[in-house]
Amino acid sequence: MSWGTELWDQFDNLEKHTQWGIDILEKYIKFVKERTEIELSYAKQLRNLSKKYQPKKNSKEEEEYRYTACKAFLSTLNEMNDYAGQHEVISENMTSQITVELARYVQELKQERKSHFHDGRKAQQHIETCWKQLESSKRRFERDCKEADRAQQYFEKMDADINVTKADVEKARQQAQMRHQMAEDSKADYSSILQKFNHEQHEYYHTHIPNIFQKIQEMEERRIVRIGESVKTYAELDRQVIPIIGKCLDGIVKAAESIDPKNDSQLAIEAYKSGFEPPGDIEFEDYTQPMKRTVSDNSLSNSRGEGKSELKFGGKSKGKLWPFIKKNKLMSLLTSPHQPPPPPPASASPSAVPNGPQSPKQQKEPLSHRFNEFMTSKPKIHCFRSLKRGLSLKLGATPEDFSNLPPEQRRKKLQQKVDELNKEIQKEMDQRDAITKMKDVYLKNPQMGDPASLDHKLAEVSQNIEKLRLEAQKFEAWLAEVEGRLPARSEQARRQSGMYDVQNPPAVNSCAQDRESPDGSYTEEQSQESEVKVLATDFDDEFDDEESLPAIGTCKALYTFEGQNEGTISVVEGETVYVIEEDKGDGWTRIRRNEDEEGYVPTSYVEVYLDKNAKGAKTYI
C-alpha cells in the first residue's frame, strides 16, 4: 500500500493532511509544556505548604516537636518536600526529553515536508510544460495541414483554368508543394513531441510522483511513530518517580507508626512537672468557739481580717495549696510581707502542730483603698525595699537564676543554660587554638603575617572564655543548689558571691525576696494578672524607723527552720522565743529573740503560748 499508486492524483489533499499532522504534533508539544508548568506550580505550592508549617527556629513551637506526634507531622512535612521534588523531576524530564526534542523534530519535519512538496510541484510544472509544448505542436501541425490542403486545391483550380498562364500554374504548384512540405515537418515535430510527452507523463505518474509521495508517506509515518514514542515517554517519566513517591508515602506511614502516646505523656510530665507535692486534707475548724481576734494596730491586714473567716490546712499536710491559688499580685504584696509558709517536715505528727500552713485567698479590693490604708497606717514591714524590689521584679523580666520557675522546671532551664555556655566555651577555645596555630605559623614564616597582630584577638578570645567560665560556674552553682548538692543560698548571698559579681555588682541594702517564698520555693504569681506599673521609689525612709512591738506571749519551736530569705528568722527545734505578732491568717507568726533579732517563722513550725493579759492576744484551746 503506497501513497504513490493509491493517491497519485491527491497532491493537494496530501499537502493538507501532512500539515494537519504537524499541527497535531505541535498541539501535543504544547500540552506537555503546560503539564510541566503545572508540575512546577504544584511542586512550588507543596514546598510552600511544607515551609509554612515548619517550626520556627528558636521558638516555643520548636520545643513542641519533641513529641512523637509532632515529630510524625514534621516527618510528613519533610516527605512532602521530597514529594514535591519528584514533581519537579517530572517537569524537568518532560521538558528535556519531550518538548525540546519534539520541537527540534518539528523543525526538521517542516523542512523535509517543504522539500518533498517542492519536488512534487517541480514535477507538476515540468509535465505541464511538456503538455503545453504538445498542444502547441499539435495546433501547428493542424494549421500546416489545412494550409497545404488549400494550396493543393488552388493549384488544381489554376491548372484546370485555360485562361491562366503557365507561369501562374507553376507558381501555384510550387506553393502547394511548399505547404505540403511544411505540413510534413509539423507532423514529424508533433510526433516527436508527443512521444516525448508520453514518456514524461509516464515518468511523472509512475516514477516521480510515486517516489515523492512515498517519501511523504514515510515522513508522515515517522511523525506518527514519534508521537507514539513521546506518549510512551510521557508515561514512563511518571512511572520512574512512582517508586520514590512510594518511599515518601512509606516514610509518612512509618512516621505515623512511630507515634508513641506513652512517650508523649512522659515528655509532658517532664515539661510541666513542678516538683511540688499536692496539698493535704483541710482541717475542720469549729466555728462554735468565738473567734475574737484582736488585730495589731501596726499591721497592714486590719481591713482584711474583718467580716471574713478563713480555712486552715492540717498539720500533716506535706504539700502546698498556694501554687494553685490565684491572687492579685499587688494585693498580695501590700497585705503580706511574705509568701506562703513552707509545710512542716514530713515526720511531724498532726497533734504536734497547732497551726498548719495556709495560703488564704485575698479579697480583691480596689487598689486605691489599699494605698489609702497603706499610707495612713503605720505598717510594720521588716524591710520595705524587699517589697519594692520584689514588685519591680514581678513587673520586669525573668530572674537570671530562673527562681520564678518550679523546682523541676528551674533545674531543666539551668541545665540547658549550662549546656549552652559549655558549647560557647568550646567554640571560643577552638577559635583560640586556631589563632594560636596561626600565630605559630607567622612566627615561623614572618613573610606570611605579623604575629603581634593576633595578640589583641587572642586576648579578646581569652577574656571571652574567662567570662563564659565564670557565667557557667554561676549557673552550675545554682543548678547544684536546685539538685540539693549545695545548701540553699539566699538571694542576698547570690548577689554577694564573686561569680555573680562578674556581670552584676552587689545591690545596696538588698532585701530581695523576688518571686520566692521565705523557704526559697516557687510562687506562681508571675503568670496571673496583667502587669501593673507602680512607682515605688520614695517609700524607704518612711518605713526605716520602726517601733518595737511588745511581746504578747512565747512560743516553742517544734522544728528547725532556716530563715534564709529577708524578713524571716531562723529557729532551732526546742528553742523558746517571744511572740510579738500573732498569725493574721497568712500562716506566719512574728517572733523576737532579742532586741536586734526578730522576724517571721511559719506558724506550723511553732507552738504558741499567748499571754491572756497582753493586748491583741487570743487564747488557743
Side-chain angles (χ1 to χ4, degrees), residues 174-224:
Q174 291 178 356
Q175 184 70 24
Q177 288 178 349
M178 184 183 67
R179 292 293 181 184
H180 182 72
Q181 184 63 39
M182 290 177 64
E184 289 294 330
D185 292 341
S186 296
K187 180 180 179 181
D189 186 48
Y190 172 66
S191 176
S192 174
I193 291 176
L194 180 60
Q195 290 178 0
K196 182 180 179 182
F197 174 78
N198 288 334
H199 175 73
E200 292 293 337
Q201 182 176 255
H202 184 273
E203 288 292 323
Y204 175 78
Y205 287 113
H206 294 87
T207 303
H208 297 311
I209 288 298
N211 290 338
I212 293 172
F213 281 13
Q214 183 65 30
K215 291 178 181 179
I216 293 174
Q217 180 181 355
E218 292 173 356
M219 176 194 72
E220 186 68 10
E221 290 176 353
R222 287 197 308 271
R223 178 192 65 81
I224 296 171

Side-chain angles (χ1 to χ4, degrees), residues 347-604:
S347 60
S349 61
S351 60
V353 184
N355 295 314
Q358 54 187 342
S359 179
K361 284 190 175 182
Q362 303 297 333
Q363 182 179 359
K364 297 195 175 183
E365 299 178 336
L367 187 61
S368 59
H369 175 74
R370 284 296 181 192
F371 270 117
N372 291 336
E373 177 189 353
F374 171 71
M375 297 303 293
T376 55
S377 63
K378 277 285 188 176
K380 293 299 295 179
I381 299 180
H382 184 76
C383 181
F384 188 74
R385 291 187 181 90
S386 64
L387 182 145
K388 180 176 66 178
R389 286 192 40 244
L391 180 60
S392 63
L393 182 59
K394 295 176 192 298
L395 300 177
T398 303
E400 188 180 14
D401 61 351
F402 304 107
S403 59
N404 61 313
L405 298 175
E408 183 66 21
Q409 302 302 319
R410 183 185 181 194
R411 181 192 65 78
K412 289 174 61 178
K413 285 290 186 180
L414 290 173
Q415 184 65 56
Q416 181 181 356
K417 188 68 175 180
V418 169
D419 294 341
E420 292 176 357
L421 289 172
N422 288 335
K423 288 181 181 179
E424 292 181 8
I425 290 173
Q426 186 61 42
K427 183 178 179 180
E428 293 291 336
M429 291 177 67
D430 293 341
Q431 185 176 0
R432 183 184 62 183
D433 294 341
I435 296 175
T436 303
K437 291 179 180 179
M438 186 179 295
K439 184 176 181 180
D440 293 339
V441 173
Y442 286 176
L443 289 173
K444 294 177 181 178
N445 302 285
Q447 67 275 10
M448 297 183 66
D450 183 12
S453 62
L454 300 176
D455 291 339
H456 176 70
K457 184 64 177 178
L458 191 61
E460 181 180 350
V461 172
S462 300
Q463 185 178 3
N464 291 340
I465 292 174
E466 186 62 26
K467 288 182 179 179
L468 290 172
R469 281 178 176 171
L470 291 174
E471 190 77 6
Q473 290 174 5
K474 177 176 63 175
F475 281 95
E476 286 172 357
W478 286 334
L479 179 61
E481 173 187 320
V482 173
E483 293 177 347
R485 295 198 298 265
L486 294 177
R489 299 182 300 167
S490 65
E491 182 69 19
Q492 178 71 15
R494 290 181 193 148
R495 293 186 179 275
Q496 292 177 351
S497 64
M499 291 178 292
Y500 194 87
D501 289 342
V502 174
Q503 296 180 345
N504 298 280
V508 180
N509 197 11
S510 175
C511 301
Q513 188 169 332
D514 296 342
R515 296 176 187 262
E516 298 183 61
S517 62
D519 65 336
S521 59
Y522 161 80
T523 63
E524 60 89 47
E525 293 176 345
Q526 78 282 357
S527 60
Q528 295 174 12
E529 285 83 5
S530 60
E531 297 179 355
V532 181
K533 294 184 179 179
V534 180
L535 297 177
T537 56
D538 300 325
F539 298 127
D540 290 346
D541 296 337
E542 184 176 351
F543 303 102
D544 285 343
D545 299 329
E546 300 181 356
E547 299 178 0
S548 299
L549 292 176
I552 60 175
T554 60
C555 66
K556 180 180 179 181
L558 300 176
Y559 318 103
T560 299
F561 172 73
E562 296 180 359
Q564 298 170 347
N565 286 14
E566 196 65 45
T568 63
I569 186 172
S570 301
V571 293
V572 297
E573 184 178 355
E575 182 181 2
T576 301
V577 291
Y578 294 102
V579 177
I580 59 176
E581 188 175 331
E582 62 177 325
D583 185 358
K584 298 299 187 296
D586 55 3
W588 294 92
T589 299
R590 190 172 183 181
I591 65 171
R592 178 189 296 145
R593 181 176 288 109
N594 51 49
E595 293 183 358
D596 298 329
E597 291 184 83
E598 64 178 46
Y600 289 89
V601 294
T603 304
S604 58

Side-chain angles (χ1 to χ4, degrees), residues 163-181:
N163 296 321
V164 177
T165 62
K166 189 177 181 177
D168 292 335
V169 173
E170 184 64 22
K171 184 178 179 181
R173 184 181 63 81
Q174 291 178 356
Q175 184 70 24
Q177 288 178 349
M178 184 183 67
R179 292 293 181 184
H180 182 72
Q181 184 63 39

